[in-house]
Amino acid sequence: MGRFRIKVYLRLRPSDKPSPFIHIQPTSSTVQIDDDKHAGGGPPKNYTERRLFRFDGIIQSSSQEAVFDECAKGVVEDVLTGYHGTIFAYGQVGSGKTFTMTGETKTFIYCGLIPRCIHRIFEEKESKPAAEIKVHVSYLEIHNEVIYDLLAKREAASQITTLEEDGTVEFRGLTRVLCTTEEQALKLFFEGERHKAVAVHPLNQVSSRSHCMFTLYVERHAGMASIPEKTAAKLNLVDLAGFGQSKGIEFSEQSKKEIVNINKSLIFLEQISSFRFAQFVQELNTNAIINKLLDPTYTRRKYERQISDLKQELALKDALNGRTDIAYDLTDEMKSELRARVNDFLLQDAEVETIPVDNLKQVREIFKLFREAQMTMLAKLEVLQKELRVTVDVPMMKESITPTLEEEVGVGELDNQGFHVGVAPVNARPDSIDGIPSKMNVNIDDVLASTLFDQQMEAPKKVAPNREKKNKAFIYFKHHTSEGNEYENFLKETRFVLRLKRKLAQELCNHINEVKFDIANLNKDLKEFENSHIFENPDVTNVDKKVSTTTRLQVMKAEYRRDFNALNKVKHEILAIQQKAEGCSRLLQVVPLPRTTITN
Ligand code: ADP
Ligand code: MG
């Protein structure tokens, strides 16, 4: 890194009427300006304020070549070494900025800095083929605060945007053209010139009303062939729009707007006093660095060599410390061995010393295993908590589900225990007619939604804050471990099957309720027949009616029994599914660590 001071040169255009207030002293590179305050109606007549400005050089009546040698040559050489460089000209309209930067391009002796910089860079490229110099160029213009790409392949220049990051400005989409020859680069420069927005200024027929920046991007091999480092530097060559006063000069509305914008952007260059800005710039220091572009193949080789050296050093250190056969790369077998040791430590009360701690990779792997174990435990805890919650809140169907004929009629509600089919004790039975209960709202949701399995399936909608962490662990377990995955898939399938079974059970329950309603009515009719003593006063119609009622009652009872058995069968199936799910939960509690490795 090198500290560079920005150099400032004053170039003076030949003038027929030099100002009596400006005194140039080329030998000391100073300019003295007498500021006559009297003209402004300020201090007394004889009072004159003097100001002295110092430059790095004052150029007067010098050739274009001399200007290049003095002001630009060093910058181009630095760019060829890998430093970024910028040369910009600023001053009043007509002061000679474009003459300095571009010059008269028809004859080389009048060529300005841009063609000369191009020439020098290609001269280097041709004289040093081993450096494999690559040159790209771009050309942009800022006119009325809008940026244009002067090399875009269109009739007019195309508008582009900037991207500002970390204090640097990138021109998004700016055309960069690779040039293999000097002629190609010059051609592009002149092509860009034609795209510029040039307006006629009353002071200067060809003065540009915009800021223009021609950039040369130079990439080259640096150093020796054995170290194929590359440098990539750019040289910005800027011709700023001229500022000036509009007093006493006729401008069109468009030109006035341009002047406002030009002066506005130049305000950023401190103040638009030429000399004051020069002084300010001279005080600035830059920290220049060589911009290196590393060859990826070379970089890879370099790192490979470095790794191999470090491995050798490590082996040497191990040998000196009496440590032999230390493997720094963990194989799958070594990982499973480590897993077994961690399991023994966590679950079998093995001594902590049984876990090997030989190197960093091993330690990291152990940490990973501990995290896995913790996540698995949290997931299991979550499952266990859900299970406990269900056991406390909702009664399980623990009783026998195969009813006797007597029990069979006990389809009814148990106090606060939900509805059970064939499980209610006889004395708990509500009023019944011939064994068939009169209250008989068989509710499938009460029967099945209260099972453990269902409770596990339905994730609680609102999660208490203290359970959020465990839920997180459970989700992690389900998605990041193969056991968790299997568990999740099994639950999904089971949930679907359970839904179908529940639907079937619901239909059976509905039908049983209807049949029971019919049976109750038929029993009531029969009782009435008995009370009317039809056999003592035989009446054919009444006898027929009784016979048909009895027959219908038998048919209804048979239907009831059939559906009841079917409902029990479905219950069995649901219980089987439930047991499977419970088995899955139990599995979670006994498997010490998932077989797969959790990746971060
Ligand atoms: P600017 O770009 O600052 O507005 P120009 O570079 O266009 O000004 O210069 C204005 C005029 O003065 C041009 O005709 C140019 O040829 C001429 N000129 C500028 N500097 C010099 C110089 N050092 N020697 C001779 N002619 C010059
Ligand atoms: Mg100009």
Side-chain angles (χ1 to χ4, degrees):
M1 202 195 302
R3 281 180 80 76
F4 291 86
R5 194 176 55 75
I6 298 172
K7 288 188 176 171
V8 184
Y9 295 89
L10 174 69
R11 185 178 195 187
L12 296 160
R13 220 188 85 166
S15 172
D16 297 338
K17 276 198 214 160
S19 164
F21 301 110
I22 301 174
H23 310 284
I24 315 289
Q25 285 143 10
T27 44
S28 59
S29 296
T30 52
V31 174
Q32 185 190 299
I33 297 179
D34 299 337
D35 193 1
D36 190 350
K37 295 284 179 183
H38 177 65
K45 233 179 183 179
N46 56 355
Y47 177 78
T48 307
E49 191 187 333
R50 287 200 172 90
R51 292 196 199 181
L52 196 70
F53 296 94
R54 193 177 298 277
F55 296 87
D56 287 288
I58 293 179
I59 300 159
Q60 230 178 343
S61 325
S62 291
S63 68
Q64 295 281 60
E65 188 183 3
V67 175
F68 173 79
D69 287 346
E70 192 170 353
C71 309
K73 208 173 175 186
V75 181
V76 183
E77 296 313 314
D78 284 344
V79 168
L80 288 167
T81 317
Y83 293 101
H84 292 321
T86 296
I87 299 170
F88 72 92
Y90 90 104
Q92 277 190 318
V93 171
S95 59
K97 299 179 295 293
T98 305
F99 184 81
T100 300
M101 296 309 293
T102 305
E104 306 285 334
T105 48
K106 286 189 184 105
T107 335
F108 191 73
I109 49 160
Y110 297 118
C111 271
L113 296 183
I114 295 174
R116 284 171 194 274
C117 288
I118 294 174
H119 175 74
R120 172 65 197 110
I121 285 168
F122 279 94
E123 190 182 59
E124 178 83 354
K125 176 175 158 59
E126 275 153 36
S127 66
K128 292 183 183 148
E132 291 178 17
I133 294 176
K134 266 191 204 160
V135 185
H136 286 80
V137 299
S138 72
Y139 202 4
L140 67 85
E141 176 185 33
I142 304 169
H143 180 243
N144 263 341
E145 303 222 306
V146 178
I147 305 165
Y148 297 92
D149 184 349
L150 297 175
L151 297 187
K153 288 230 169 294
R154 282 171 221 160
E155 272 304 295
S158 70
Q159 206 171 318
I160 55 165
T161 53
T162 56
L163 181 73
E164 289 174 44
E165 251 175 31
D166 311 328
T168 62
V169 180
E170 284 288 323
F171 297 99
R172 206 182 297 185
L174 180 67
T175 311
R176 278 189 196 194
V177 187
L178 175 70
C179 300
T180 46
T181 60
E182 181 181 342
E183 289 69 39
Q184 231 179 323
L186 282 171
K187 197 170 160 247
L188 283 165
F189 173 60
F190 296 136
E191 244 172 57
E193 288 283 289
R194 279 202 300 279
H195 283 149
K196 277 193 200 173
V198 177
V200 176
H201 187 282
L203 277 183
N204 179 0
Q205 291 292 300
V206 289
S207 190
S208 160
R209 300 304 201 68
S210 52
H211 310 297
C212 293
M213 182 162 84
F214 184 78
T215 305
L216 288 145
Y217 306 82
V218 184
E219 213 179 285
R220 69 178 294 173
H221 279 299
M224 298 159 290
S226 58
I227 308 165
E229 272 180 352
K230 276 185 177 179
T231 60
K234 56 185 176 181
L235 174 60
N236 297 315
L237 300 158
V238 189
D239 183 356
L240 291 173
F243 57 86
Q245 292 168 350
S246 50
K247 215 163 107 185
I249 305 166
E250 286 293 320
F251 291 103
S252 68
E253 276 308 307
Q254 171 67 12
S255 294
K256 275 183 194 161
K257 189 180 159 208
E258 284 175 344
I259 288 167
V260 169
N261 279 332
I262 292 165
N263 285 347
K264 202 161 91 184
S265 57
L266 287 168
I267 294 285
F268 290 104
L269 304 180
E270 229 323 54
Q271 293 175 19
I272 52 172
S273 152
S274 9
F275 290 164
R276 239 180 274 155
F277 176 63
Q279 251 190 347
F280 165 74
V281 167
Q282 276 178 320
E283 285 164 15
L284 297 177
N285 275 314
T286 58
N287 282 329
I289 51 157
I290 293 181
N291 300 284
K292 282 180 185 167
L293 252 192
L294 287 175
D295 181 321
T297 325
Y298 164 73
T299 316
R300 205 194 64 232
R301 269 194 227 127
K302 194 171 100 179
Y303 288 138
E304 278 171 357
R305 223 178 11 247
Q306 225 171 52
I307 290 168
S308 133
D309 287 353
L310 287 170
K311 274 185 175 174
Q312 278 183 31
E313 196 151 321
L314 207 58
L316 189 72
K317 288 238 161 77
D318 279 340
L320 289 172
N321 287 311
R323 284 152 48 102
T324 49
D325 293 334
I326 304 292
Y328 289 94
D329 291 318
L330 293 181
T331 61
D332 285 347
E333 290 87 70
M334 286 157 88
K335 281 184 186 173
S336 6
E337 174 60 21
L338 213 53
R339 181 180 288 271
R341 298 276 174 97
V342 170
N343 270 344
D344 287 351
F345 170 70
L346 288 174
L347 302 167
Q348 310 298 327
D349 227 8
E351 293 294 328
V352 70
E353 290 78 15
T354 56
I355 303 176
V357 183
D358 296 322
N359 56 57
L360 193 66
K361 272 191 183 167
Q362 216 175 39
V363 172
R364 283 193 181 144
E365 185 65 21
I366 291 165
F367 276 123
K368 255 162 82 176
L369 289 169
F370 272 102
R371 185 168 59 185
E372 246 180 72
Q374 193 222 14
M375 287 305 202
T376 311
M377 291 300 165
L378 283 174
K380 284 179 201 169
L381 191 71
E382 176 69 5
V383 172
L384 194 70
Q385 275 189 344
K386 279 180 187 169
E387 207 171 291
L388 281 171
R389 224 173 21 248
V390 171
T391 315
V392 171
D393 297 346
V394 187
M396 298 279 300
M397 289 193 279
K398 290 195 185 88
E399 299 88 342
S400 156
I401 50 158
T402 319
T404 61
L405 197 62
E406 182 60 23
E407 282 171 327
E408 183 190 87
V409 295
V411 178
E413 282 178 351
L414 288 176
D415 287 347
N416 304 322
Q417 291 190 19
F419 198 86
H420 290 253
V421 180
V423 295
V426 175
N427 62 3
R429 228 190 297 159
D431 294 342
S432 63
I433 302 161
D434 195 14
I436 303 295
S438 56
K439 272 195 190 172
M440 49 195 168
N441 297 322
V442 179
N443 187 338
I444 189 65
D445 285 329
D446 290 344
V447 174
L448 299 172
S450 61
T451 63
L452 161 70
F453 182 64
D454 252 20
Q455 291 290 318
Q456 282 178 343
M457 294 301 100
E458 305 295 332
K461 295 273 182 293
K462 279 184 187 167
V463 182
N466 59 344
R467 282 182 42 228
E468 245 169 44
K469 206 177 161 194
K470 281 176 207 151
N471 273 349
K472 229 168 146 185
F474 189 59
I475 289 163
Y476 179 91
F477 172 73
K478 282 200 295 189
H479 298 300
H480 295 274
T481 66
S482 67
E483 268 81 357
N485 246 303
E486 276 171 31
Y487 177 74
E488 172 75 347
N489 289 338
F490 166 72
L491 291 188
K492 265 187 201 158
E493 281 167 25
T494 315
R495 199 178 293 148
F496 177 68
V497 175
L498 185 77
R499 218 173 287 142
L500 294 180
K501 298 279 174 202
R502 279 179 57 130
K503 205 169 170 241
L504 180 62
Q506 174 73 68
E507 276 163 17
L508 287 167
C509 275
N510 290 346
H511 193 244
I512 287 169
N513 282 337
E514 280 166 24
V515 170
K516 280 201 294 185
F517 188 75
D518 287 349
I519 289 171
N521 283 338
L522 290 169
N523 271 331
K524 213 171 130 205
D525 289 352
L526 272 182
K527 268 245 162 70
E528 274 171 18
F529 284 131
E530 274 165 26
N531 292 341
S532 60
H533 308 287
I534 53 167
F535 292 106
E536 287 159 26
N537 300 303
D539 174 327
V540 179
T541 327
N542 276 344
V543 171
D544 275 358
K545 266 187 186 168
K546 192 185 175 192
V547 170
S548 85
T549 305
T550 313
T551 319
R552 274 181 60 205
L553 193 61
Q554 278 164 359
V555 170
M556 282 298 160
K557 279 188 175 178
E559 215 167 284
Y560 173 80
R561 242 179 235 107
R562 188 200 62 205
D563 284 358
F564 188 86
N565 288 337
L567 181 60
N568 268 342
K569 199 172 162 239
V570 177
K571 253 181 72 183
H572 270 296
E573 285 165 354
I574 289 169
L575 280 176
I577 295 168
Q578 194 180 311
Q579 269 160 14
K580 244 181 160 180
E582 280 177 81
C584 183
S585 309
R586 266 197 299 279
L587 192 79
L588 280 174
Q589 290 159 51
V590 288
V591 175
L593 279 173
R595 282 190 298 275
T596 44
T597 307
I598 298 173
T599 48
N600 298 326

